[in-house]
Amino acid sequence: MIEETSKENIEIRVQMASEAYQFLKSTTIKQRAVFMNAVADKIEALGEELLTTAHAETSLPQTRLTGEKARTIGQWRSYAKAVASGIYIEPRIDLPQPEKQKGDLRKYNIGLGSVVVFGASNFPFAFSTAGGDTASAIGAGCPVIVKAHPAHPKTSQMMADAITNAVKEFGWPEGIFSHITGTSYETGVYLAQHKDIHAVAFTGSYSGGKALFDIANRRENPIPVFAEMGSINPVFALQHLMENKAEVLAKEYISSLTLGVGQFCTNPGVFIAVKGPSLDRFISALKNEIHEIIPANMLHNGIYENFAKHTSNAISQPGIEVIATTEAEEGKGNATIIKTNAQSFLNNPVLSEEVFGPFGIIVTCESKEELIQIAQNLKGQLTITVAATSDDVHENAELIHLLKDKCGRLLFNGIPTGVEVVYAMQHGGPFPSTTDSRFTSVGPDAVKRFVRPISFQNWPDEFLPEELKNENPLQISRIVDGEVNVKSLKLETV
Protein backbone atom coordinates (compact mmCIF):
# COMPACT_ATOMS: atom_id res chain seq x y z
CA MET A 1 0.00 0.00 0.00
CA ILE A 2 1.46 3.35 -1.08
CA GLU A 3 0.98 6.15 1.42
CA GLU A 4 -0.92 9.11 0.01
CA THR A 5 0.77 12.39 0.89
CA SER A 6 -1.86 14.70 2.37
CA LYS A 7 -2.70 18.08 0.86
CA GLU A 8 -1.63 19.68 4.13
CA ASN A 9 1.80 18.07 3.80
CA ILE A 10 2.02 19.03 0.13
CA GLU A 11 1.17 22.61 0.99
CA ILE A 12 3.97 22.68 3.55
CA ARG A 13 6.36 21.25 0.96
CA VAL A 14 5.40 23.86 -1.62
CA GLN A 15 5.96 26.69 0.85
CA MET A 16 9.31 25.19 1.86
CA ALA A 17 10.26 25.06 -1.81
CA SER A 18 9.37 28.74 -2.25
CA GLU A 19 11.66 29.64 0.63
CA ALA A 20 14.40 27.42 -0.75
CA TYR A 21 14.11 29.17 -4.11
CA GLN A 22 15.08 32.45 -2.47
CA PHE A 23 18.12 30.69 -1.03
CA LEU A 24 19.08 29.17 -4.38
CA LYS A 25 19.04 32.61 -5.98
CA SER A 26 21.93 33.48 -3.65
CA THR A 27 24.01 30.48 -4.76
CA THR A 28 26.41 30.61 -7.65
CA ILE A 29 26.61 28.16 -10.51
CA LYS A 30 29.83 26.79 -9.00
CA GLN A 31 28.14 26.09 -5.65
CA ARG A 32 25.23 24.32 -7.29
CA ALA A 33 27.65 22.24 -9.34
CA VAL A 34 29.44 21.11 -6.18
CA PHE A 35 26.09 20.09 -4.70
CA MET A 36 25.15 18.16 -7.83
CA ASN A 37 28.40 16.22 -7.73
CA ALA A 38 27.71 15.41 -4.09
CA VAL A 39 24.32 13.96 -5.08
CA ALA A 40 26.08 11.86 -7.72
CA ASP A 41 28.40 10.54 -5.03
CA LYS A 42 25.41 9.63 -2.83
CA ILE A 43 23.73 7.71 -5.64
CA GLU A 44 26.97 5.96 -6.53
CA ALA A 45 27.34 4.86 -2.90
CA LEU A 46 23.96 3.11 -2.97
CA GLY A 47 24.94 -0.53 -3.10
CA GLU A 48 23.45 -3.80 -4.23
CA GLU A 49 20.25 -3.08 -2.29
CA LEU A 50 19.26 -0.38 -4.78
CA LEU A 51 19.63 -2.73 -7.76
CA THR A 52 17.87 -5.59 -5.99
CA THR A 53 15.00 -3.33 -4.95
CA ALA A 54 14.57 -1.88 -8.43
CA HIS A 55 14.68 -5.34 -10.01
CA ALA A 56 11.97 -6.60 -7.66
CA GLU A 57 9.73 -3.61 -8.42
CA THR A 58 10.23 -3.32 -12.19
CA SER A 59 11.39 -6.75 -13.46
CA LEU A 60 14.22 -4.95 -15.25
CA PRO A 61 17.36 -7.12 -15.41
CA GLN A 62 20.31 -6.34 -13.14
CA THR A 63 22.56 -5.56 -16.10
CA ARG A 64 20.13 -2.95 -17.41
CA LEU A 65 19.74 -1.41 -13.95
CA THR A 66 23.49 -1.32 -13.39
CA GLY A 67 23.91 0.59 -16.64
CA GLU A 68 21.04 2.92 -15.86
CA LYS A 69 22.47 3.71 -12.43
CA ALA A 70 25.78 4.64 -14.07
CA ARG A 71 23.91 6.79 -16.58
CA THR A 72 22.07 8.59 -13.78
CA ILE A 73 25.29 9.33 -11.91
CA GLY A 74 26.79 10.53 -15.17
CA GLN A 75 23.82 12.85 -15.74
CA TRP A 76 24.32 14.61 -12.42
CA ARG A 77 28.04 15.02 -13.05
CA SER A 78 27.84 16.12 -16.67
CA TYR A 79 25.03 18.55 -15.91
CA ALA A 80 27.06 19.89 -12.98
CA LYS A 81 30.03 20.52 -15.26
CA ALA A 82 27.82 22.30 -17.75
CA VAL A 83 26.18 24.42 -15.05
CA ALA A 84 29.56 25.41 -13.60
CA SER A 85 30.77 26.55 -17.02
CA GLY A 86 28.06 29.21 -17.11
CA ILE A 87 26.74 28.38 -20.57
CA TYR A 88 23.11 28.20 -19.42
CA ILE A 89 23.08 31.47 -17.57
CA GLU A 90 24.26 33.14 -20.82
CA PRO A 91 25.90 36.19 -19.20
CA ARG A 92 25.74 39.29 -21.38
CA ILE A 93 27.33 42.64 -20.56
CA ASP A 94 26.96 45.86 -22.55
CA LEU A 95 29.12 48.55 -21.00
CA PRO A 96 28.13 52.23 -20.97
CA GLN A 97 29.07 54.20 -24.06
CA PRO A 98 28.62 57.93 -24.76
CA GLU A 99 26.04 57.21 -27.47
CA LYS A 100 24.03 54.81 -25.27
CA GLN A 101 21.17 56.26 -23.25
CA LYS A 102 20.59 53.15 -21.15
CA GLY A 103 24.03 53.08 -19.61
CA ASP A 104 25.31 49.78 -18.22
CA LEU A 105 23.24 46.67 -19.05
CA ARG A 106 23.93 43.16 -17.80
CA LYS A 107 21.79 40.07 -18.30
CA TYR A 108 21.83 36.44 -17.25
CA ASN A 109 19.44 33.54 -16.70
CA ILE A 110 18.03 32.58 -13.34
CA GLY A 111 15.89 29.65 -12.25
CA LEU A 112 12.15 29.85 -12.92
CA GLY A 113 11.12 28.85 -9.40
CA SER A 114 9.78 25.66 -7.84
CA VAL A 115 9.50 22.74 -10.28
CA VAL A 116 7.29 19.66 -10.00
CA VAL A 117 8.83 16.52 -11.51
CA PHE A 118 6.66 13.49 -12.24
CA GLY A 119 8.68 10.28 -12.07
CA ALA A 120 8.51 7.87 -15.02
CA SER A 121 7.92 4.13 -14.70
CA ASN A 122 10.21 2.81 -17.44
CA PHE A 123 13.44 4.37 -16.13
CA PRO A 124 13.38 4.06 -12.31
CA PHE A 125 16.72 5.87 -12.01
CA ALA A 126 17.39 8.04 -15.08
CA PHE A 127 13.88 9.50 -15.60
CA SER A 128 12.43 9.18 -12.14
CA THR A 129 13.06 10.64 -8.69
CA ALA A 130 16.75 11.44 -9.15
CA GLY A 131 16.63 11.57 -12.93
CA GLY A 132 17.61 14.18 -15.45
CA ASP A 133 14.63 16.44 -14.78
CA THR A 134 15.53 16.75 -11.11
CA ALA A 135 19.22 17.25 -11.84
CA SER A 136 18.68 19.90 -14.51
CA ALA A 137 16.12 21.83 -12.46
CA ILE A 138 18.37 22.01 -9.40
CA GLY A 139 21.28 22.96 -11.65
CA ALA A 140 19.19 25.83 -12.98
CA GLY A 141 18.57 27.03 -9.43
CA CYS A 142 15.10 25.60 -8.93
CA PRO A 143 13.82 23.62 -5.94
CA VAL A 144 12.22 20.32 -6.93
CA ILE A 145 9.11 18.53 -5.69
CA VAL A 146 9.03 14.99 -7.05
CA LYS A 147 5.74 13.14 -7.46
CA ALA A 148 7.06 9.59 -7.19
CA HIS A 149 5.85 6.98 -9.64
CA PRO A 150 3.82 4.34 -7.78
CA ALA A 151 5.35 1.51 -9.83
CA HIS A 152 8.62 1.58 -7.86
CA PRO A 153 8.01 3.28 -4.48
CA LYS A 154 10.91 1.71 -2.56
CA THR A 155 13.38 2.51 -5.32
CA SER A 156 12.07 6.05 -5.46
CA GLN A 157 12.45 6.47 -1.71
CA MET A 158 16.06 5.30 -1.77
CA MET A 159 16.92 7.81 -4.49
CA ALA A 160 15.04 10.55 -2.66
CA ASP A 161 16.97 9.79 0.52
CA ALA A 162 20.26 10.19 -1.38
CA ILE A 163 19.30 13.73 -2.45
CA THR A 164 17.85 14.63 0.94
CA ASN A 165 21.02 13.50 2.71
CA ALA A 166 23.11 15.68 0.42
CA VAL A 167 20.87 18.67 1.22
CA LYS A 168 21.33 18.06 4.96
CA GLU A 169 25.11 17.70 4.70
CA PHE A 170 25.34 21.01 2.82
CA GLY A 171 23.17 22.72 5.40
CA TRP A 172 20.87 23.92 2.66
CA PRO A 173 17.13 24.49 3.23
CA GLU A 174 15.10 21.28 3.35
CA GLY A 175 12.77 22.63 0.67
CA ILE A 176 15.47 22.24 -2.01
CA PHE A 177 14.03 18.76 -2.59
CA SER A 178 10.77 17.10 -1.58
CA HIS A 179 9.42 13.63 -2.27
CA ILE A 180 5.65 13.12 -2.52
CA THR A 181 3.99 9.73 -2.82
CA GLY A 182 0.55 8.41 -3.71
CA THR A 183 -1.61 7.28 -6.60
CA SER A 184 -4.20 10.05 -6.56
CA TYR A 185 -4.79 11.92 -9.82
CA GLU A 186 -5.87 14.89 -7.73
CA THR A 187 -2.37 15.26 -6.28
CA GLY A 188 -0.93 15.98 -9.72
CA VAL A 189 -3.73 18.41 -10.49
CA TYR A 190 -3.21 20.22 -7.19
CA LEU A 191 0.50 20.64 -7.82
CA ALA A 192 0.10 21.80 -11.43
CA GLN A 193 -2.49 24.38 -10.33
CA HIS A 194 -0.60 25.69 -7.32
CA LYS A 195 0.29 29.36 -7.59
CA ASP A 196 3.77 28.77 -6.15
CA ILE A 197 4.73 26.12 -8.72
CA HIS A 198 6.51 27.60 -11.72
CA ALA A 199 7.17 24.65 -14.06
CA VAL A 200 6.32 20.97 -14.53
CA ALA A 201 8.42 18.15 -16.00
CA PHE A 202 6.71 14.93 -17.05
CA THR A 203 7.61 11.74 -18.90
CA GLY A 204 4.78 9.35 -19.67
CA SER A 205 1.57 8.94 -21.62
CA TYR A 206 0.00 11.44 -23.98
CA SER A 207 -3.16 11.59 -21.86
CA GLY A 208 -1.21 12.36 -18.69
CA GLY A 209 1.10 14.94 -20.24
CA LYS A 210 -1.63 16.70 -22.18
CA ALA A 211 -3.83 16.89 -19.06
CA LEU A 212 -1.04 18.59 -17.11
CA PHE A 213 -0.33 20.92 -20.05
CA ASP A 214 -3.99 21.97 -20.24
CA ILE A 215 -4.22 22.51 -16.48
CA ALA A 216 -1.09 24.66 -16.47
CA ASN A 217 -2.36 26.80 -19.34
CA ARG A 218 -5.73 27.39 -17.68
CA ARG A 219 -4.08 28.91 -14.62
CA GLU A 220 -4.35 32.62 -13.91
CA ASN A 221 -0.56 32.65 -14.36
CA PRO A 222 0.20 29.92 -16.95
CA ILE A 223 3.41 27.96 -16.46
CA PRO A 224 5.50 25.81 -18.81
CA VAL A 225 4.96 22.05 -18.84
CA PHE A 226 7.82 20.10 -20.35
CA ALA A 227 6.11 16.82 -21.15
CA GLU A 228 7.52 13.95 -23.15
CA MET A 229 4.41 12.03 -24.15
CA GLY A 230 5.19 9.33 -26.67
CA SER A 231 6.18 8.65 -30.24
CA ILE A 232 5.88 5.91 -32.86
CA ASN A 233 9.41 6.71 -34.14
CA PRO A 234 8.89 5.64 -37.76
CA VAL A 235 11.57 4.09 -39.95
CA PHE A 236 11.51 5.07 -43.64
CA ALA A 237 13.38 2.32 -45.49
CA LEU A 238 14.48 3.43 -48.97
CA GLN A 239 14.96 1.28 -52.03
CA HIS A 240 18.71 0.90 -52.56
CA LEU A 241 19.39 -0.02 -48.96
CA MET A 242 16.47 -2.44 -48.89
CA GLU A 243 17.78 -4.17 -51.99
CA ASN A 244 21.23 -4.61 -50.45
CA LYS A 245 20.50 -5.15 -46.76
CA ALA A 246 16.91 -6.27 -46.22
CA GLU A 247 17.86 -9.16 -43.93
CA VAL A 248 20.38 -7.13 -41.93
CA LEU A 249 17.84 -4.35 -41.50
CA ALA A 250 15.22 -6.85 -40.28
CA LYS A 251 17.58 -8.00 -37.54
CA GLU A 252 18.35 -4.43 -36.50
CA TYR A 253 14.70 -3.43 -36.55
CA ILE A 254 13.39 -6.29 -34.43
CA SER A 255 16.26 -5.79 -31.98
CA SER A 256 15.37 -2.13 -31.51
CA LEU A 257 11.63 -2.77 -31.44
CA THR A 258 11.85 -5.35 -28.66
CA LEU A 259 14.70 -3.81 -26.64
CA GLY A 260 13.61 -3.57 -23.03
CA VAL A 261 10.39 -5.42 -23.94
CA GLY A 262 9.56 -2.44 -26.14
CA GLN A 263 9.34 -0.13 -23.13
CA PHE A 264 11.49 2.69 -24.49
CA CYS A 265 9.97 5.92 -25.75
CA THR A 266 12.17 5.58 -28.85
CA ASN A 267 11.25 2.04 -29.95
CA PRO A 268 10.56 2.17 -33.73
CA GLY A 269 6.88 1.27 -33.86
CA VAL A 270 6.31 1.79 -37.59
CA PHE A 271 8.35 0.61 -40.59
CA ILE A 272 7.52 2.19 -43.96
CA ALA A 273 8.78 1.02 -47.36
CA VAL A 274 7.77 0.65 -50.99
CA LYS A 275 6.41 -2.76 -52.02
CA GLY A 276 8.66 -5.15 -53.92
CA PRO A 277 10.91 -8.20 -53.60
CA SER A 278 13.24 -6.47 -51.10
CA LEU A 279 10.36 -5.70 -48.73
CA ASP A 280 9.19 -9.30 -49.08
CA ARG A 281 12.67 -10.43 -48.04
CA PHE A 282 12.58 -8.04 -45.09
CA ILE A 283 9.25 -9.43 -43.88
CA SER A 284 10.42 -13.03 -44.32
CA ALA A 285 13.51 -12.27 -42.26
CA LEU A 286 11.35 -10.59 -39.57
CA LYS A 287 9.33 -13.77 -39.20
CA ASN A 288 12.51 -15.69 -38.53
CA GLU A 289 13.97 -13.10 -36.19
CA ILE A 290 10.90 -12.70 -34.00
CA HIS A 291 11.09 -16.34 -32.96
CA GLU A 292 14.47 -15.60 -31.41
CA ILE A 293 12.88 -13.07 -29.05
CA ILE A 294 12.28 -14.37 -25.52
CA PRO A 295 9.20 -12.70 -23.98
CA ALA A 296 9.85 -11.05 -20.63
CA ASN A 297 7.82 -9.42 -17.87
CA MET A 298 6.70 -5.88 -18.51
CA LEU A 299 7.35 -3.16 -15.94
CA HIS A 300 4.05 -3.54 -14.12
CA ASN A 301 0.58 -4.93 -14.64
CA GLY A 302 -0.88 -1.59 -15.76
CA ILE A 303 1.58 -1.35 -18.65
CA TYR A 304 0.94 -4.98 -19.60
CA GLU A 305 -2.84 -4.48 -19.65
CA ASN A 306 -2.55 -1.35 -21.79
CA PHE A 307 -0.15 -3.12 -24.16
CA ALA A 308 -2.51 -6.09 -24.54
CA LYS A 309 -5.52 -3.80 -25.06
CA HIS A 310 -3.87 -1.55 -27.66
CA THR A 311 -2.30 -4.49 -29.51
CA SER A 312 -5.66 -6.22 -29.74
CA ASN A 313 -7.30 -2.99 -30.90
CA ALA A 314 -4.72 -2.45 -33.64
CA ILE A 315 -5.03 -6.04 -34.89
CA SER A 316 -8.83 -5.71 -35.08
CA GLN A 317 -8.66 -2.74 -37.48
CA PRO A 318 -9.66 -3.29 -41.13
CA GLY A 319 -6.88 -3.97 -43.61
CA ILE A 320 -4.55 -5.54 -41.04
CA GLU A 321 -2.53 -8.72 -41.48
CA VAL A 322 -0.61 -10.26 -38.58
CA ILE A 323 2.91 -11.00 -39.83
CA ALA A 324 4.47 -12.62 -36.79
CA THR A 325 4.01 -12.94 -33.06
CA THR A 326 5.57 -14.69 -30.11
CA GLU A 327 3.76 -16.77 -27.55
CA ALA A 328 3.93 -15.22 -24.12
CA GLU A 329 2.70 -15.96 -20.66
CA GLU A 330 0.32 -13.62 -18.84
CA GLY A 331 2.08 -10.39 -17.95
CA LYS A 332 4.88 -10.82 -20.47
CA GLY A 333 5.39 -8.71 -23.57
CA ASN A 334 4.23 -10.65 -26.60
CA ALA A 335 6.20 -9.28 -29.56
CA THR A 336 3.85 -8.69 -32.47
CA ILE A 337 4.30 -7.40 -36.04
CA ILE A 338 1.34 -6.48 -38.25
CA LYS A 339 1.12 -5.18 -41.82
CA THR A 340 -1.13 -2.71 -43.61
CA ASN A 341 -1.05 -0.58 -46.75
CA ALA A 342 -0.34 3.14 -46.95
CA GLN A 343 -3.93 4.26 -47.50
CA SER A 344 -5.23 2.23 -44.57
CA PHE A 345 -2.52 3.73 -42.39
CA LEU A 346 -3.27 7.26 -43.55
CA ASN A 347 -7.04 6.92 -43.12
CA ASN A 348 -7.08 5.20 -39.72
CA PRO A 349 -5.69 7.30 -36.83
CA VAL A 350 -5.68 4.24 -34.55
CA LEU A 351 -2.73 2.86 -36.50
CA SER A 352 -0.56 5.92 -35.86
CA GLU A 353 -1.04 5.84 -32.09
CA GLU A 354 1.81 4.60 -29.91
CA VAL A 355 1.52 1.07 -28.54
CA PHE A 356 3.93 1.04 -25.60
CA GLY A 357 5.60 -2.33 -25.85
CA PRO A 358 7.11 -4.70 -28.46
CA PHE A 359 4.64 -3.93 -31.24
CA GLY A 360 5.37 -2.88 -34.81
CA ILE A 361 3.45 -2.04 -37.98
CA ILE A 362 4.83 -2.58 -41.48
CA VAL A 363 3.32 -0.04 -43.88
CA THR A 364 3.60 -0.98 -47.55
CA CYS A 365 3.58 1.82 -50.12
CA GLU A 366 2.84 1.63 -53.84
CA SER A 367 5.31 4.40 -54.69
CA LYS A 368 7.62 7.12 -53.42
CA GLU A 369 4.65 9.46 -53.62
CA GLU A 370 2.93 7.47 -50.88
CA LEU A 371 6.08 7.70 -48.74
CA ILE A 372 5.86 11.47 -49.09
CA GLN A 373 2.14 11.45 -48.31
CA ILE A 374 2.77 9.58 -45.07
CA ALA A 375 5.59 11.99 -44.16
CA GLN A 376 3.30 14.96 -44.76
CA ASN A 377 0.64 13.52 -42.47
CA LEU A 378 2.90 12.39 -39.66
CA LYS A 379 2.44 13.92 -36.23
CA GLY A 380 5.48 15.12 -34.31
CA GLN A 381 7.96 12.42 -33.30
CA LEU A 382 10.90 12.07 -30.96
CA THR A 383 12.86 10.24 -33.66
CA ILE A 384 12.61 9.32 -37.32
CA THR A 385 15.05 6.93 -38.94
CA VAL A 386 15.97 7.02 -42.63
CA ALA A 387 17.35 3.63 -43.65
CA ALA A 388 19.18 4.58 -46.80
CA THR A 389 22.28 4.69 -48.93
CA SER A 390 23.77 7.95 -50.18
CA ASP A 391 22.04 7.37 -53.51
CA ASP A 392 18.72 6.97 -51.67
CA VAL A 393 19.19 10.34 -49.98
CA HIS A 394 19.99 12.06 -53.30
CA GLU A 395 16.90 10.51 -54.89
CA ASN A 396 14.55 11.34 -52.01
CA ALA A 397 15.48 14.93 -51.14
CA GLU A 398 11.84 16.05 -50.82
CA LEU A 399 11.07 13.26 -48.37
CA ILE A 400 14.13 14.04 -46.23
CA HIS A 401 13.24 17.73 -46.02
CA LEU A 402 9.71 16.88 -44.91
CA LEU A 403 10.96 14.55 -42.22
CA LYS A 404 13.11 17.31 -40.71
CA ASP A 405 9.88 19.11 -39.81
CA LYS A 406 8.46 16.12 -37.99
CA CYS A 407 11.05 15.06 -35.40
CA GLY A 408 13.62 16.08 -32.85
CA ARG A 409 16.24 13.52 -33.89
CA LEU A 410 16.69 12.35 -37.49
CA LEU A 411 18.79 9.20 -37.85
CA PHE A 412 20.68 8.03 -40.92
CA ASN A 413 20.54 4.25 -40.50
CA GLY A 414 21.24 2.90 -37.03
CA ILE A 415 18.55 2.34 -34.41
CA PRO A 416 16.74 5.02 -32.38
CA THR A 417 16.74 3.20 -29.04
CA GLY A 418 19.52 4.30 -26.77
CA VAL A 419 19.76 8.00 -25.94
CA GLU A 420 23.24 9.38 -25.28
CA VAL A 421 23.56 11.89 -22.44
CA VAL A 422 25.59 14.43 -24.42
CA TYR A 423 25.31 18.06 -25.51
CA ALA A 424 24.27 17.26 -29.09
CA MET A 425 21.42 14.93 -28.09
CA GLN A 426 17.90 16.16 -28.79
CA HIS A 427 15.30 14.17 -26.87
CA GLY A 428 12.20 16.13 -27.66
CA GLY A 429 10.19 16.79 -30.78
CA PRO A 430 7.16 18.55 -32.26
CA PHE A 431 3.79 18.04 -30.59
CA PRO A 432 2.44 15.54 -29.62
CA SER A 433 5.77 13.86 -28.86
CA THR A 434 6.47 16.72 -26.46
CA THR A 435 4.76 19.93 -25.43
CA ASP A 436 7.70 22.16 -26.40
CA SER A 437 9.98 21.09 -29.25
CA ARG A 438 12.53 23.81 -28.44
CA PHE A 439 13.95 21.80 -25.56
CA THR A 440 15.48 18.42 -24.75
CA SER A 441 15.00 16.29 -21.65
CA VAL A 442 18.31 14.46 -22.15
CA GLY A 443 21.79 15.96 -22.15
CA PRO A 444 23.11 19.05 -20.38
CA ASP A 445 20.92 21.30 -22.54
CA ALA A 446 17.98 20.01 -20.45
CA VAL A 447 18.91 22.76 -17.98
CA LYS A 448 17.65 25.39 -20.46
CA ARG A 449 14.05 24.42 -19.70
CA PHE A 450 14.12 25.87 -16.20
CA VAL A 451 15.70 29.32 -16.60
CA ARG A 452 14.54 32.77 -17.63
CA PRO A 453 16.50 35.96 -18.39
CA ILE A 454 16.73 39.00 -16.14
CA SER A 455 18.54 42.21 -17.02
CA PHE A 456 20.24 44.62 -14.57
CA GLN A 457 20.54 48.27 -15.59
CA ASN A 458 23.11 50.58 -14.01
CA TRP A 459 23.56 48.48 -10.85
CA PRO A 460 26.68 49.05 -8.72
CA ASP A 461 29.13 46.19 -9.09
CA GLU A 462 28.93 45.19 -5.43
CA PHE A 463 25.23 44.36 -5.76
CA LEU A 464 25.45 42.38 -8.98
CA PRO A 465 25.39 38.56 -8.97
CA GLU A 466 28.82 36.94 -9.04
CA GLU A 467 28.24 35.86 -12.62
CA LEU A 468 28.03 39.51 -13.78
CA LYS A 469 30.57 41.27 -11.60
CA ASN A 470 33.43 43.20 -13.19
CA GLU A 471 36.12 40.92 -11.79
CA ASN A 472 34.43 37.82 -13.20
CA PRO A 473 35.23 35.89 -9.99
CA LEU A 474 33.81 32.64 -11.40
CA GLN A 475 36.08 32.88 -14.45
CA ILE A 476 33.31 32.07 -16.90
CA SER A 477 32.94 33.03 -20.55
CA ARG A 478 30.74 36.10 -21.06
CA ILE A 479 29.62 38.18 -24.02
CA VAL A 480 30.94 41.69 -23.39
CA ASP A 481 29.98 44.34 -25.93
CA GLY A 482 29.23 41.59 -28.42
CA GLU A 483 32.52 39.72 -28.00
CA VAL A 484 33.34 36.55 -26.06
CA ASN A 485 35.35 37.57 -23.01
CA VAL A 486 36.68 35.62 -20.01
CA LYS A 487 38.72 38.47 -18.52
CA SER A 488 38.00 40.77 -15.63
CA LEU A 489 36.60 44.16 -16.59
CA LYS A 490 38.87 46.98 -15.41
CA LEU A 491 36.45 49.86 -15.08
CA GLU A 492 36.71 52.95 -13.01
CA THR A 493 32.95 53.47 -12.86
CA VAL A 494 30.01 51.30 -13.75
Side-chain angles (χ1 to χ4, degrees):
M1 186 71 178
I2 298 172
E3 181 181 355
E4 197 79 36
T5 303
S6 68
K7 281 191 177 180
E8 291 76 16
N9 193 327
I10 294 173
E11 187 63 34
I12 291 170
R13 292 288 171 179
V14 172
Q15 294 311 312
M16 289 170 58
S18 294
E19 294 167 9
Y21 172 57
Q22 299 307 317
F23 167 81
L24 283 175
K25 282 196 289 188
S26 70
T27 63
T28 68
I29 51 178
K30 303 288 188 182
Q31 291 168 328
R32 295 200 296 276
V34 171
F35 173 79
M36 294 168 74
N37 279 307
V39 171
D41 292 341
K42 292 290 186 186
I43 297 172
E44 189 170 37
L46 294 174
E48 189 67 23
E49 184 184 359
L50 175 68
L51 301 178
T52 302
T53 301
H55 172 67
E57 290 188 315
T58 66
S59 296
L60 293 172
Q62 291 272 6
T63 51
R64 151 73 190 274
L65 290 168
T66 300
E68 189 183 330
K69 179 185 175 185
R71 167 183 168 166
T72 305
I73 294 164
Q75 282 179 164
W76 281 88
R77 289 179 176 159
S78 65
Y79 294 9
K81 183 178 180 180
V83 166
S85 74
I87 59 176
Y88 300 118
I89 60 165
E90 297 182 336
R92 310 290 193 246
I93 298 174
D94 283 285
L95 299 171
Q97 303 291 340
E99 68 276 11
K100 286 168 55 179
Q101 296 181 355
K102 303 302 180 187
D104 185 288
L105 284 169
R106 306 186 184 210
K107 181 173 73 171
Y108 81 150
N109 293 331
I110 62 171
L112 290 174
S114 301
V115 175
V116 172
V117 171
F118 288 82
S121 65
N122 60 334
F123 282 85
F125 304 154
F127 275 90
S128 195
T129 303
D133 290 338
T134 299
S136 53
I138 289 176
C142 301
V144 170
I145 299 172
V146 165
K147 170 63 173 64
H149 198 286
H152 47 260
K154 294 179 182 178
T155 303
S156 187
Q157 187 63 58
M158 292 180 73
M159 297 296 263
D161 289 343
I163 302 174
T164 300
N165 289 336
V167 172
K168 289 178 180 178
E169 288 184 9
F170 271 64
W172 285 10
E174 185 180 349
I176 298 291
F177 176 82
S178 289
H179 185 238
I180 290 173
T181 59
T183 59
S184 169
Y185 171 79
E186 286 72 25
T187 297
V189 173
Y190 182 77
L191 286 166
Q193 289 178 334
H194 200 290
K195 64 181 179 62
D196 292 324
I197 296 300
H198 296 274
V200 171
F202 172 89
T203 299
S205 68
Y206 172 79
S207 59
K210 184 61 163 56
L212 289 169
F213 180 78
D214 291 342
I215 289 166
N217 279 282
R218 287 196 299 265
R219 290 171 41 142
E220 182 178 353
N221 58 325
I223 60 172
V225 172
F226 303 103
E228 184 217 300
M229 301 179 293
S231 178
I232 58 174
N233 306 298
V235 176
F236 284 80
L238 303 183
Q239 200 60 37
H240 294 302
L241 186 128
M242 285 289 284
E243 289 170 357
N244 296 327
K245 296 183 177 181
E247 290 80 9
V248 172
L249 187 56
K251 191 177 187 69
E252 291 178 351
Y253 178 74
I254 198 69
S255 174
S256 184
L257 181 72
T258 60
L259 183 66
V261 202
Q263 296 168 118
F264 286 78
C265 50
T266 51
N267 290 94
V270 178
F271 186 95
I272 306 158
V274 174
K275 292 166 73 173
S278 59
L279 182 56
D280 293 339
R281 287 167 42 216
F282 175 86
I283 291 172
S284 178
L286 272 186
K287 292 177 181 179
N288 294 328
E289 293 294 338
I290 202 169
H291 295 303
E292 301 298 318
I293 304 301
I294 300 174
N297 289 326
M298 302 195 79
L299 287 160
H300 56 80
N301 193 54
I303 284 183
Y304 168 74
E305 290 178 349
N306 276 326
F307 170 68
K309 180 180 73 174
H310 291 306
T311 297
S312 177
N313 186 38
I315 290 173
S316 70
Q317 300 301 308
I320 294 297
E321 175 188 347
V322 177
I323 294 297
T325 185
T326 57
E327 296 299 326
E329 302 169 16
E330 188 76 10
K332 293 190 175 183
N334 184 21
T336 302
I337 306 287
I338 65 174
K339 184 176 78 169
T340 192
N341 60 52
Q343 293 309 310
S344 293
F345 182 78
L346 286 164
N347 295 326
N348 188 345
V350 170
L351 299 178
S352 58
E353 293 176 2
E354 181 187 28
V355 177
F356 192 69
F359 176 82
I361 303 177
I362 309 300
V363 181
T364 64
C365 298
E366 296 291 341
S367 62
K368 288 200 299 185
E369 286 69 30
E370 283 194 335
L371 287 176
I372 290 172
Q373 192 177 4
I374 289 175
Q376 290 171 328
N377 285 275
L378 270 181
K379 296 179 181 178
Q381 307 293 327
L382 293 172
T383 77
I384 294 176
T385 300
V386 179
T389 66
S390 295
D391 287 340
D392 283 321
V393 175
H394 285 300
E395 294 170 13
N396 292 271
E398 181 182 358
L399 173 66
I400 306 301
H401 283 303
L402 283 170
L403 296 180
K404 292 175 185 177
D405 298 334
K406 302 290 184 172
C407 67
R409 179 160 57 109
L410 185 63
L411 290 84
F412 179 71
N413 298 320
I415 57 176
T417 42
V419 182
E420 297 290 338
V421 185
V422 293
Y423 284 93
M425 176 53 61
Q426 177 61 22
H427 192 60
F431 187 86
S433 62
T434 67
T435 48
D436 197 329
S437 63
R438 296 172 299 169
F439 299 99
T440 180
S441 62
V442 176
D445 279 353
V447 177
K448 290 180 180 180
R449 295 174 294 172
F450 304 114
V451 295
R452 69 171 182 87
I454 180 171
S455 183
F456 298 85
Q457 184 171 332
N458 294 329
W459 275 83
D461 187 72
E462 64 178 305
F463 300 121
L464 287 169
E466 296 290 293
E467 291 83 353
L468 296 177
K469 286 183 182 295
N470 289 335
E471 289 299 317
N472 193 11
L474 302 181
Q475 293 299 294
I476 57 176
S477 178
R478 308 186 293 188
I479 302 295
V480 179
D481 289 336
E483 302 289 339
V484 176
N485 189 319
V486 295
K487 298 179 182 179
S488 300
L489 304 179
K490 305 298 183 182
L491 305 177
E492 294 183 6
T493 59
V494 179

